[in-house]
């Protein structure tokens, strides 16, 4: 009887784990899932990123370092704001469940100052979380990204004021920005959320690809990221090596922009 009880308990815990974590079981009936997002991440670099870079090369010079910073930060900033937006949605649902008005400034200040996105999400019942995330993934290809785009452009316009003014109306950049925001949102509504990194340090051939004009060296320092490294979750498995520019000669600091690492 004890063995039967332990087996049943193990099955229940395993079922709960699988139901709440796409790393263990991928629902192939969903269009938005980790494997399709990896493909989209690669395509974004190969298509929209390249078109936006071509436009900026014509304006600021070919392979200008500021262009690399600007385009990489477009995605990392969008990724951070997507995570914050997810927190707000979980906070809204949590507030309703506890009979508190979601826009109560005192309650909102208390929640946002004391809870991380992960803890805020875990406050919701598992069944409700499953329903919410399934609905968000179902709508992820068509939902309105205007708010996320607006927040991202607000940061970029301040960090790269001169460059942004010259590029903001360009069609290729608008398409790149829109694609970054949508993909960032889709990655964040995976369970657990996917993770990107632009962490500096030494070049690692497993984690990094090298920009074609740089010489590979095992002891070379990363000067900046051209495109982030992608993981299935924070501290998880590597899905796509990042594209980096290695430091050769005088080092130049990358402009400080908030990033989600």
């Amino acid at each position: 009887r004890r063995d039967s009880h332990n087996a049943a308990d193990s099955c229940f815990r395993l079922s709960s784990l699988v139901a709440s974590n796409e790393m263990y079981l991928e629902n192939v009936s969903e269009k938005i899932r980790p494997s399709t997002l990896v493909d989209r991440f690669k395509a974004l670099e190969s298509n929209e990123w390249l078109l936006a870079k071509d436009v900026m090369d014509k304006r600021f010079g070919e392979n200008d370092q500021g262009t690399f910073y600007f385009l990489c930060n477009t995605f990392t900033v969008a990724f951070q704001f997507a995570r914050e937006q997810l927190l707000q949605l979980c906070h809204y649902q949590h507030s309703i469940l506890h009979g508190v008005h979601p826009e109560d400034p005192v309650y909102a200040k208390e929640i946002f100052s004391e809870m991380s996105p992960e803890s805020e999400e875990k406050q919701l019942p598992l069944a409700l979380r499953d329903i919410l995330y399934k609905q968000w993934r179902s709508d992820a290809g068509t939902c309105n990204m205007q708010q996320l785009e607006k927040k991202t452009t607000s940061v970029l316009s301040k960090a790269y004021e001169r460059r942004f003014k010259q590029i903001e109306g360009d069609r290729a950049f608008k398409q790149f920005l829109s694609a970054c925001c949508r993909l960032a949102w889709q990655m964040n509504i995976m369970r657990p959320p996917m993770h990107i990194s632009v962490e500096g340090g030494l070049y690692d051939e497993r984690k990094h690809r090298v920009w074609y004009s740089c010489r590979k060296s095992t002891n070379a320092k990363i000067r900046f990221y051209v495109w982030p490294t992608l993981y299935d979750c924070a501290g998880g498995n590597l899905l796509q090596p990042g594209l980096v520019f290695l430091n050769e000669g005088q080092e130049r600091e990358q402009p400080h922009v908030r990033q989600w690492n």
Side-chain angles (χ1 to χ4, degrees):
R1 183 178 300 178
R2 181 176 300 177
D3 290 342
S4 177
H5 175 76
N6 290 339
D9 182 61
S10 297
C11 288
F12 175 77
R13 286 187 284 110
L14 180 60
S15 298
S16 298
L17 179 64
V18 169
S20 60
N21 193 330
E22 277 88 6
M23 291 195 303
Y24 295 94
L25 181 64
E26 187 170 284
N27 186 350
V28 295
S29 67
E30 293 187 353
K31 293 182 179 180
I32 306 300
R33 56 185 190 272
S35 61
T36 62
L37 295 182
V38 174
D39 292 339
R40 184 67 189 101
F41 182 74
K42 295 176 182 178
L44 178 57
E45 178 190 347
S46 301
N47 298 320
E48 289 93 342
W49 179 91
L50 191 58
L51 292 174
K53 179 182 177 299
D54 286 344
V55 170
M56 297 184 75
D57 282 349
K58 294 175 183 178
R59 292 176 182 262
F60 308 111
E62 187 173 355
N63 292 337
D64 179 78
Q65 291 182 20
T67 293
F68 290 128
Y69 298 158
F70 181 89
L71 294 176
C72 185
N73 280 324
T74 298
F75 187 72
T76 57
V77 170
F79 196 90
Q80 175 174 338
F81 279 128
R83 189 64 179 144
E84 292 179 2
Q85 188 164 309
L86 180 62
L87 167 59
Q88 292 173 359
L89 288 172
C90 290
H91 163 69
Y92 183 86
Q93 295 294 331
H94 183 224
S95 303
I96 293 175
L97 286 176
H98 287 77
V100 180
H101 195 285
E103 296 181 1
D104 183 336
V106 176
Y107 181 73
K109 182 179 180 180
E110 178 183 341
I111 288 294
F112 280 100
S113 62
E114 296 183 359
M115 301 190 73
S116 67
E118 292 76 15
S119 60
E120 176 77 10
E121 174 190 317
K122 290 178 181 178
Q123 295 298 311
L124 299 175
L126 178 60
L128 177 58
R129 273 185 277 160
D130 287 341
I131 293 172
L132 289 173
Y133 277 80
K134 184 176 182 179
Q135 185 60 51
W136 289 335
R137 288 194 294 267
S138 176
D139 297 338
T142 57
C143 60
N144 192 322
M145 291 286 106
Q146 186 175 0
Q147 183 179 10
L148 190 53
E149 291 177 14
K150 185 177 180 180
K151 289 182 177 180
T152 303
T153 54
S154 176
V155 171
L156 295 174
S157 64
K158 294 174 182 177
Y160 304 93
E161 183 177 0
R162 181 185 65 85
R163 191 175 298 266
F164 183 80
K165 286 181 178 179
Q166 296 186 51
I167 199 69
E168 63 176 326
D170 185 87
R171 180 180 180 183
F173 171 68
K174 287 183 177 179
Q175 291 177 338
F176 173 68
L177 171 67
S178 178
C180 283
C181 290
R182 187 167 300 281
L183 181 58
W185 170 248
Q186 292 171 344
M187 287 181 167
N188 272 287
I189 57 176
M190 295 296 104
R191 296 180 63 197
M194 300 175 80
H195 179 73
I196 61 171
S197 174
V198 287
E199 184 179 355
L202 296 178
Y203 163 67
D204 183 334
E205 64 179 4
R206 187 182 70 87
K207 298 179 180 179
H208 307 119
R209 294 167 291 137
V210 177
W211 185 252
Y212 75 92
S213 64
C214 297
R215 289 177 296 178
K216 292 184 179 180
S217 172
T218 54
N219 296 319
K221 290 187 68 175
I222 296 173
R223 188 168 183 177
F224 58 84
Y225 272 75
V226 176
W227 197 240
T229 302
L230 177 64
Y231 296 87
D232 59 3
C233 66
N237 299 311
L238 176 69
L239 296 178
Q240 173 68 1
L243 183 59
V244 298
F245 199 100
L246 300 181
N247 190 36
E248 298 175 357
Q250 186 177 3
E251 187 172 356
R252 176 180 171 185
E253 292 291 332
Q254 181 167 348
H256 176 68
V257 177
R258 292 192 307 160
Q259 297 181 335
W260 189 267
N261 285 326

